[in-house]
Amino acid sequence: MKRRKIRYVGEHVDDSLLISNHGNVQFVAEGKFDLSGLMYCPRYEVEFSVSGRGNISFRGACKKMIIKSISGDCVLDLSEVVCKEIQCRMVKGKSIVLIGPTKLISQANLEGEAVLQYKGKPLITSCSLKQSARMEPQIKKEKKILVAA
């Protein structure tokens, strides 16, 4: 099956992205960006290649996510995406990757000051951390309830 390509090069701001259940997707962002949207691919995989500076966030569901490469000073927020398997092939620089509920992190290669945060207790089968890179569970934010006296 042929992959669909979604490509952002240069400076972009878009909060209405939609990745839907029509086959595998290759998502590329290069430059300066602030992108967000919905993802619904319970039968397909989504591959990310990101370089530059900015934020990318998605919500939804996906069968498999492949983070092919992330470099620069960017945040890839997938904390609201439910996924069966995640591969982080190359995360470097000052990049931060936030992963939502998943069963398996089959590969995690981080270097530089990269950070990979995950929810829950996924099975981690292959992990490589270089320099000051780190993997850590996401800390739940507590909601403060104000009570009128």
Side-chain angles (χ1 to χ4, degrees):
M1 177 177 281
K2 191 173 181 180
R3 269 182 202 245
R4 291 179 303 132
K5 290 184 181 181
I6 300 172
R7 188 174 179 96
Y8 289 91
V9 177
E11 189 170 337
H12 289 280
V13 176
D14 193 351
D15 64 351
S16 60
L17 299 177
L18 178 63
I19 299 175
S20 60
N21 205 25
H22 298 289
N24 297 332
V25 174
Q26 182 180 13
F27 186 93
V28 178
E30 298 171 350
K32 189 174 179 184
F33 43 81
D34 188 8
L35 306 169
S36 63
L38 298 173
M39 174 187 307
Y40 184 74
C41 302
R43 290 186 277 164
Y44 298 100
E45 66 183 43
V46 178
E47 180 181 288
F48 287 94
S49 296
V50 180
S51 65
R53 175 183 212 114
N55 297 312
I56 298 174
S57 66
F58 280 98
R59 309 178 83 163
C62 182
K63 179 181 177 183
K64 181 177 181 180
M65 274 191 284
I66 300 171
I67 300 170
K68 185 175 180 180
S69 67
I70 294 185
S71 61
D73 187 9
C74 53
V75 176
L76 179 59
D77 185 356
L78 304 170
S79 61
E80 299 295 321
V81 178
V82 176
C83 187
K84 290 183 180 180
E85 179 184 352
I86 294 181
Q87 290 182 0
C88 296
R89 294 184 181 164
M90 185 178 70
V91 181
K92 63 181 185 176
K94 294 184 178 182
S95 302
I96 299 172
V97 179
L98 307 171
I99 295 175
T102 186
K103 291 182 179 181
L104 174 65
I105 298 175
S106 61
Q107 185 177 7
N109 297 322
L110 287 78
E111 63 181 73
E113 297 177 30
V115 177
L116 175 66
Q117 293 184 349
Y118 54 89
K119 284 187 179 178
K121 296 181 180 180
L123 175 64
I124 301 171
T125 58
S126 176
C127 176
S128 171
L129 303 174
K130 297 179 183 176
Q131 297 164 347
S132 61
R134 64 188 194 276
M135 286 180 66
E136 57 194 23
Q138 287 183 21
I139 299 171
K140 293 181 181 179
K141 295 180 182 176
E142 295 181 21
K143 294 182 181 179
K144 294 183 180 180
I145 300 173
L146 300 175
V147 179

